[in-house]
Amino acid sequence: MSSSRFQDRVLFTTGGGSGLAAATALQFAREGGRVAVVDLDGERAQAVAAELDGSIAIQADVADEDSVKAAVREAHERLGRIDGAFCAAGHADFGPIAEWSLQRWNRMMSVHAGGTFLVCRELAPIMLAQGSGSIVNVASVAALVAQPNNAPYGAAKGAILAFSRQIALDLAPSVRVNVVAPGRVRSGMTTPLYTQRGGGDYEKGAALAAEFNPQKRVGEPQDIAGPVCFLLSDEARFVTGTVLVPDGGETAI
Ligand SMILES: NC(=O)c1ccc[n+]([C@@H]2O[C@H](COP(=O)([O-])OP(=O)(O)OC[C@H]3O[C@@H](n4cnc5c(N)ncnc54)[C@H](O)[C@@H]3O)[C@@H](O)[C@H]2O)c1
């Protein structure tokens, strides 16, 4: 792997204060790039950006149109260009469908699908004007297979999958758009879930989650950062409109 795959390149990542996007920001920066670390939690974004040379933190809510516009404008002005995007802002919310209000459903859709739409819409003109760009959006295996009590999350992730495929066509040939659909990965989102499932013991809960894949382990954020950085890099120059599934084989069985 080249140590400078992302030399002179800029990544705009949402959800960058934690988990999958923080790991991706770290790898992108280690390979020569600079990152706009965007997160609802400004302090978390700041903590991640402070570790990365030439990178910046921006507080923004991806479900808010003005907030996304301002974040993209600030990143572009301060970093000069935007070559890659990783749309990973999101939250987990599970439960029987009978318990879901329309408001709860709308929040799920507006953060995941709406946030992805807004970021792509704001970044597309910048990347098209530059003549190149690579966008990676995050779905989940929940967009591909059924899981108990996970319908609204699966629907939001399915929307991201379909939306990404559509805009891959619209933004071609200069801008590529792909999706990663991860399986179960340790992160800020899942650590409390697995700890709860393990009766207060994270490792026990993670071991139960690991039973769903042939590798018999829960992924680490770095396991997703690698595939995302591949899609962001020139090595994936002929890859667009597709979905990469780093899930330890969960959807193969
Ligand atoms: N961890 C997994 O097992 C897993 C599996 C499949 C998909 N995903 C998806 O990956 C993405 C990243 O999740 P993660 O696991 O790294 O979780 P995480 O909780 O570690 O990170 C998510 C980040 O998104 C931020 N965020 C939440 N809502 C936001 C908003 N409205 N605007 C801006 N930022 C916001 C949070 O503050 C947090 O820092 C999510 O979209 C999640 O659905 C995660």
Side-chain angles (χ1 to χ4, degrees):
M1 189 192 305
S2 160
S3 63
S4 58
R5 268 195 306 186
F6 302 121
Q7 195 69 47
D8 301 325
R9 303 229 176 142
V10 170
L11 172 68
F12 182 97
T13 184
T14 68
S18 179
L20 281 44
T24 299
L26 184 63
Q27 184 167 340
F28 193 89
R30 275 197 187 132
E31 295 189 45
R34 293 173 297 148
V35 186
V37 181
V38 181
D39 204 287
L40 189 58
D41 186 327
E43 283 180 17
R44 267 196 224 158
Q46 188 55 54
V48 172
E51 299 295 315
L52 315 177
D53 264 1
S55 298
I56 61 169
I58 301 174
Q59 193 280 331
D61 179 355
V62 296
D64 181 283
E65 189 160 21
D66 291 341
S67 187
V68 172
K69 280 185 179 179
V72 170
R73 197 182 319 118
E74 182 179 345
H76 194 213
E77 279 172 11
R78 290 177 64 190
L79 297 176
R81 54 186 298 114
I82 300 177
D83 304 279
F86 183 41
C87 294
H91 63 282
D93 193 2
F94 309 98
I97 194 71
E99 293 173 6
W100 276 69
S101 63
L102 181 59
Q103 189 186 23
R104 194 172 159 194
W105 164 274
N106 285 343
R107 182 70 188 159
M108 178 62 78
M109 294 306 285
S110 65
V111 170
H112 291 263
T116 301
F117 152 69
L118 286 172
V119 171
C120 290
R121 190 193 68 188
E122 293 304 308
L123 287 179
I126 293 171
M127 291 179 168
L128 289 170
Q130 279 173 187
S132 68
S134 174
I135 296 173
V136 181
N137 295 325
V138 178
S140 159
V141 291
L144 307 173
V145 294
Q147 297 173 334
N149 295 322
N150 206 14
Y153 181 82
K157 293 306 196 183
I160 289 171
L161 203 60
F163 171 73
S164 303
R165 190 179 293 125
Q166 297 292 338
I167 58 164
L169 176 65
D170 296 338
L171 301 183
S174 55
V175 177
R176 296 183 294 105
V177 185
N178 291 289
V179 170
V180 283
R184 295 154 206 264
V185 182
R186 179 203 299 258
S187 72
M189 192 176 97
T190 54
T191 298
L193 297 175
Y194 296 156
T195 303
Q196 189 189 19
R197 202 171 293 168
D201 179 346
Y202 171 82
E203 293 305 336
K204 201 170 153 194
L208 291 171
E211 283 307 309
F212 288 91
N213 74 60
Q215 290 195 345
K216 300 298 175 207
R217 71 177 178 93
V218 162
E220 296 297 326
Q222 296 78 2
D223 294 325
I224 310 306
V228 173
C229 284
F230 162 69
L231 291 170
L232 291 171
S233 78
D234 290 345
E235 289 162 24
R237 59 190 168 270
F238 200 49
V239 182
T240 194
T242 194
V243 53
L244 208 158
V245 188
D247 68 348
E250 181 171 341
T251 51
I253 53 173

